Amino acid sequence: MKTRITILFLITLSINLLAQSFMQNPYGRQSISLNGKWDALIDVYCQGENSKFYLNRQPQSKTDFVEYSFNNSIRLDVPGDFNSQYPELKYYEGNVWYHRNFNATINPKKRQFIYFAGVNYLSKVWINGKLAGNHEGGFTPFQFDVTTLVKEGNNDLVVMVNNNRKIDGIPALNFDWWNYGGILRDVFLIETPLVYISDYKVQLKKGIKNTIIGYVKLEGNTSIQKVELSIPELKLKNTLTTDTLGYVSFEFKANPQLWEPDLPKMYSVTLSTGNETVKDELAFRTIETKGTTILLNGKSVFLKGVNFHEEIPQRMGRAYSDADAVMILSEVKALGCNFARTAHYPQNERIVRMAEKMGIMLWEEIPLWQGIEFSNPAILKKAETMLREMIYRDKNRGGIVIWSVANETRPSEYRDKVLTELVSLTRKLDDTRLVGTAFDNAKFDKTTSTMNLNDNVAKVVDVVGINKYFGWYNPFPVEPNQIKWDVANDKPLIMSEFGGEAVYGQHGEADVASSWSEEYQEQLYRNNLTMFRNISNLCGMSPWVLFDFRAPNRLHPTNQDGWNRKGLISDKGQRKKAWYVMKEFYNEKK
Ligand code: GCB
C-alpha cells in the first residue's frame, strides 16, 4: 500500500514538475499564423477594462454611440514591439489594446489553442468578448485553450498589453535595456486532436553518449495510448505506451553522431499517435563539468562567447524573425564564437533554434536582473514560473548548455534562499545541463592582489559567471598581469561580462576613459585578456556586448544618447577596433 502511494505521489510529482501552460514546439503543429497588422488603441489612462474594450462593441441604434473603436485605429505589426513602430510610442510604458479578426473552422474532433510566443509584460486575452486568460512575464510563451470560445467563421480577438515596470516584476523597476512592450513574438491559432501531444523530451542521458532518454505527455481525456517515436536516420522506431494520465518515459540505446559547434548535427524526430504527428529537429550531445573544466561530449571545451540582446540595433526594435536571428548569429559566428549568452532573458525560440543549427552553444537565463525585491514572497513564485517556462520551452535544444538563474544580485538572506531554491528547481527540471549564474561581487584584495568571491550561491552552481568591468566602472587596481584570481577555484569560471564603451569612429587616447574612443576600448580589451591568463579555472568568456544597444538610462548626450555603447559592433553594424582584438584571441584560442 505504502509503495503504491509513494509511486502515485512520484507520478503526480513528476507530472507537476512538467505541468506547464503551453505546448512544446508550436512550429511543428497544425496552425494558422496570427501575425500581421493588428488594430491598436493606446490607453494611456487605463480606461479600457472599465469601458470593456474587449467587447469591441458597435453602436446598436440611432441613439447609441461607443467612445472607442478599433476601426480606423492605428495598426501595429505583430510580432514586434510597439515602441519602435510610432515615434510617439518610443518611451511609452502602459496599456495598449490590440485587436484583430480571424477565421476558424470548427471541428468537434479538434481543440483550438491560441499561442503567444512572447508578450511584454502583462497580457490579458479575450475571444469574442470572453476572457481566455492572462499571463505575466515578457519573455516566455503562453497559450489558452479556446475551443469553447472560438466560433465558425469570423472571430474577434482582443489583447490588452501592459509594459509598466514594477517593483515586484521580473525584471523590476530599473534595467539596462529598452523596455520594449507589445506582442513581441509570433502568435498562432493551433489546432490539435482532442487528446494531443502536449509535451516531450528527447535528449541524451546525462553524461551518457549512447542512451537517449525522455518522456511524452498527452493532454486531454487521456487513457492508455500508443505513441510512436522515430528517428529515421538512426533507424529507430519505438512504440511507447502511456499510462492512464497520458504519460510515458523511456530510455533506449542509440549511437547518434554528437552535436558540436564544428559539426552541429541535427536529427529529425517524429512523434505520432494515431491522430497526430509532431516533428522536431534535435541535437544530441553531453555537457558536464569535471573539476575545473567543462566537457562537451566528454572533451574539454573553451566557451568562446559573446553576449547579445534580442534587438536589431539598425531597426531600433526587438528581433523576432528567422532573418533577425541569422543577422545576430552570423555576427556571433564571425567573431569566432562557439558560445553566446542570450542576455538577460529567454530570447525568442527562433534565435535559440537557429543558434543550435549554426553550432552555437547557449547560456540562457531568466530576467532576474539586479534590483529585485527578494524579500517579497511573490518574487520566488514568479521566478519559479519563469524558470519553468524557459526550461520547459527549451529542454529539447541541445545547443543550450547552461541555465542561469540570475544576473548580478546582491547577497542577502532572502536572495541566497531564492537563488538556491531556483538552482535546485533547475536541477529537478533538467539534470542534463549545467546550472550557473552571473555574479558582479568578486572583490579585489589589495593586500594579496587577489580577486575573491564570497557568496553562498557560488557554492551551489556548476559554473560561476563573473561580470567584472575593470577599465570601465573600476580602473585596474594594479597592472592587469599582477591580478591573481582565487574565485570558485574548484569549479569552472566563465567571464560572463567585461567591456567598456566606445563610439564607433571616435578616436582618442588609449588611456583616457572619457575619450569614449575605439582606442580606449581596444586597450581595455587587451588589458582584460592579459588579466584572464591568471585565472586557472577559466573555461570561457562572453564580452559585453556584441552590438551597441538601446538603453534609456544612458544619458550622455553626445556619446550615448540612449545607447549603451559597449558593443564590439556599432548600431550600424560597423566593427570597432576591440572587435579585432577579440577575433584574434578567439582565432588563436584552443
Ligand atoms: C552589467 C549588466 C548588463 C549591463 C552592463 C553595463 O553588469 O549585467 O546588463 O548592460 O553591466 O553596460 O553596465
Side-chain angles (χ1 to χ4, degrees):
M1 183 64 180
K2 200 165 160 218
T3 19
R4 255 194 71 200
I5 292 175
T6 322
I7 289 169
L8 264 178
F9 171 75
L10 284 176
I11 290 176
T12 328
L13 183 78
S14 66
I15 285 174
N16 276 341
L17 277 173
L18 307 177
Q20 262 334 308
S21 47
F22 56 94
M23 65 183 79
Q24 186 65 203
N25 185 15
Y27 301 96
R29 310 280 175 160
Q30 186 85 36
S31 69
I32 299 173
S33 168
L34 296 182
N35 293 349
K37 296 272 181 205
W38 290 49
D39 313 317
L41 296 172
I42 313 301
D43 184 15
V44 184
Y45 285 3
C46 304
Q47 310 180 62
E49 278 204 276
N50 274 343
S51 305
K52 303 191 176 152
F53 284 8
Y54 48 85
L55 295 179
N56 188 16
R57 207 169 75 78
Q58 308 299 319
Q60 298 298 308
S61 66
K62 280 190 172 176
T63 56
D64 192 16
F65 65 91
V66 184
E67 269 200 282
Y68 69 89
S69 171
F70 289 109
N71 301 333
N72 304 317
S73 68
I74 63 162
R75 305 197 83 199
L76 289 172
D77 288 327
V78 171
D81 61 276
F82 52 67
N83 307 85
S84 65
Q85 298 190 41
Y86 284 89
E88 299 82 352
L89 297 180
K90 179 173 175 188
Y91 293 106
Y92 187 70
E93 297 182 311
N95 280 4
V96 172
W97 289 79
Y98 282 78
H99 166 265
R100 69 165 286 157
N101 293 102
F102 66 89
N103 262 309
T105 332
I106 300 300
N107 178 342
K109 295 224 165 65
K110 301 279 184 187
R111 291 168 75 173
Q112 314 261 10
F113 293 88
I114 183 145
Y115 181 104
F116 291 86
V119 179
N120 190 35
Y121 174 82
L122 298 174
S123 34
K124 213 162 174 179
V125 178
W126 292 264
I127 297 215
N128 299 321
K130 301 239 169 55
L131 183 66
N134 52 34
H135 181 258
E136 174 166 358
F139 305 104
T140 41
F142 56 95
Q143 77 181 25
F144 304 116
D145 182 338
V146 292
T147 314
T148 56
L149 302 181
V150 170
K151 54 184 205 282
E152 181 77 27
N154 187 30
N155 288 269
D156 219 42
L157 169 59
V158 174
V159 182
M160 186 191 82
V161 181
N162 175 285
N163 70 328
N164 282 128
R165 286 165 293 118
K166 34 190 220 146
I167 181 66
D168 64 344
I170 301 179
L173 288 174
N174 181 20
F175 42 90
D176 190 24
W177 66 85
W178 208 271
N179 182 25
Y180 291 115
I183 306 181
L184 305 180
R185 302 180 184 167
D186 295 312
V187 186
F188 298 110
L189 183 71
I190 300 179
E191 193 179 76
T192 72
L194 295 176
V195 175
Y196 75 103
I197 301 169
S198 67
D199 188 22
Y200 54 87
K201 179 173 179 177
V202 186
Q203 290 281 281
L204 283 188
K205 190 170 181 171
K206 185 182 172 62
I208 318 261
K209 293 181 202 149
N210 68 350
T211 307
I212 294 178
I213 53 149
Y215 62 83
V216 182
K217 173 81 181 84
L218 307 179
E219 205 62 63
N221 201 352
T222 50
S223 55
I224 294 175
Q225 197 168 322
K226 300 248 181 284
V227 184
E228 195 179 89
L229 181 141
S230 69
I231 311 179
E233 222 186 314
L234 291 176
K235 302 202 167 34
L236 262 167
K237 204 177 239 187
N238 275 356
T239 304
L240 311 166
T241 309
T242 72
D243 61 17
T244 50
L245 298 172
Y247 178 83
V248 55
S249 62
F250 56 80
E251 172 165 340
F252 50 80
K253 296 275 176 236
N255 265 313
Q257 185 181 323
L258 302 178
W259 179 98
E260 55 178 300
D262 289 339
L263 208 85
K265 173 72 187 156
M266 307 285 295
Y267 285 93
S268 294
V269 177
T270 307
L271 289 167
S272 27
T273 60
N275 299 324
E276 184 186 30
T277 299
V278 179
K279 284 190 179 2
D280 210 339
E281 295 274 305
L282 299 182
F284 298 108
R285 57 94 196 93
T286 62
I287 189 84
E288 298 158 283
T289 65
K290 187 169 176 209
T292 57
T293 50
I294 296 179
L295 304 177
L296 174 68
N297 301 325
K299 283 182 274 175
S300 157
V301 65
F302 189 85
L303 306 182
K304 303 181 200 180
V306 70
N307 285 280
F308 62 83
H309 272 290
E310 187 191 61
E311 182 179 61
I312 300 297
Q314 294 90 330
R315 198 171 63 218
M316 297 194 280
R318 280 267 175 240
Y320 49 75
S321 65
D322 282 344
D324 291 346
V326 170
M327 193 294 273
I328 296 170
L329 296 168
S330 56
E331 285 301 317
V332 171
K333 289 293 271 192
L335 186 62
C337 297
N338 59 15
F339 169 70
R341 176 165 172 246
T342 55
H344 283 294
Y345 36 79
Q347 299 194 6
N348 68 65
E349 196 170 335
R350 291 179 184 276
I351 291 180
V352 176
R353 284 178 176 269
M354 192 70 77
E356 185 176 55
K357 280 198 189 123
M358 291 171 71
I360 300 165
M361 291 178 273
L362 290 185
W363 157 316
E364 193 173 34
E365 89 192 1
I366 54 168
L368 210 71
W369 190 96
Q370 294 182 12
I372 299 283
E373 208 187 36
F374 285 106
S375 58
N376 178 347
I379 289 296
L380 175 61
K381 282 190 103 175
K382 288 183 192 182
E384 277 180 351
T385 305
M386 288 182 190
L387 189 72
R388 280 171 190 278
E389 290 176 347
M390 172 176 81
I391 296 177
Y392 179 90
R393 189 192 72 175
D394 290 339
K395 60 183 172 283
N396 285 313
R397 304 277 70 82
I400 293 185
V401 293
I402 298 171
W403 300 123
S404 162
V405 299
N407 177 67
E408 301 189 346
T409 51
R410 289 280 89 75
S412 73
E413 192 190 324
Y414 290 115
R415 172 277 207 177
D416 290 6
K417 190 167 174 295
V418 169
L419 294 200
T420 306
E421 288 198 23
L422 294 177
V423 168
S424 78
L425 177 62
T426 307
R427 293 213 171 92
K428 271 187 215 137
L429 294 170
D430 177 27
D431 69 353
T432 67
R433 290 171 179 78
L434 310 179
V435 191
T437 187
F439 300 90
D440 67 339
N441 47 332
K443 297 261 161 18
F444 180 71
D445 178 348
K446 278 196 208 127
T447 52
T448 59
S449 280
T450 305
M451 292 295 295
N452 299 300
L453 175 69
N454 181 10
D455 195 312
N456 293 328
V457 177
K459 297 179 191 138
V460 300
V461 291
D462 301 315
V463 279
V464 164
I466 296 293
N467 299 354
K468 194 75 213 171
Y469 285 86
F470 275 144
W472 192 246
Y473 297 121
N474 327 96
F476 278 93
V478 293
E479 286 302 311
N481 63 1
Q482 303 294 308
I483 303 177
K484 292 178 241 155
W485 279 70
D486 185 14
V487 171
N489 54 23
D490 59 335
K491 52 180 78 168
L493 183 152
I494 294 174
M495 283 304 305
S496 37
E497 287 181 30
F498 63 97
E501 301 204 19
V503 178
Y504 173 76
Q506 189 154 299
H507 299 290
E509 300 294 327
D511 58 352
V512 178
S514 66
S515 68
W516 301 73
S517 64
E518 285 194 50
E519 287 75 12
Y520 184 82
Q521 191 193 36
E522 179 187 33
Q523 188 54 43
L524 178 153
Y525 267 76
R526 290 196 194 288
N527 290 345
N528 273 284
L529 293 175
T530 301
M531 175 181 73
F532 297 162
R533 287 198 209 115
N534 299 344
I535 309 179
S536 61
N537 54 337
L538 187 70
C539 286
M541 58 181 77
S542 46
W544 189 262
V545 57
L546 184 61
F547 296 105
D548 288 350
F549 63 95
R550 292 175 86 217
N553 51 324
R554 299 292 172 172
L555 294 170
H556 190 287
T558 52
N559 294 318
Q560 296 179 310
D561 194 23
W563 288 86
N564 183 317
R565 293 285 178 202
K566 294 191 188 72
L568 290 166
I569 305 177
S570 77
D571 56 305
K572 303 278 188 303
Q574 299 122 322
R575 293 166 179 169
K576 303 180 193 171
K577 285 180 185 293
W579 184 91
Y580 295 90
V581 176
M582 271 323 292
K583 171 76 179 167
E584 194 188 343
F585 178 82
Y586 282 158
N587 275 354
E588 282 164 14
K589 183 79 195 164
K590 291 281 161 286

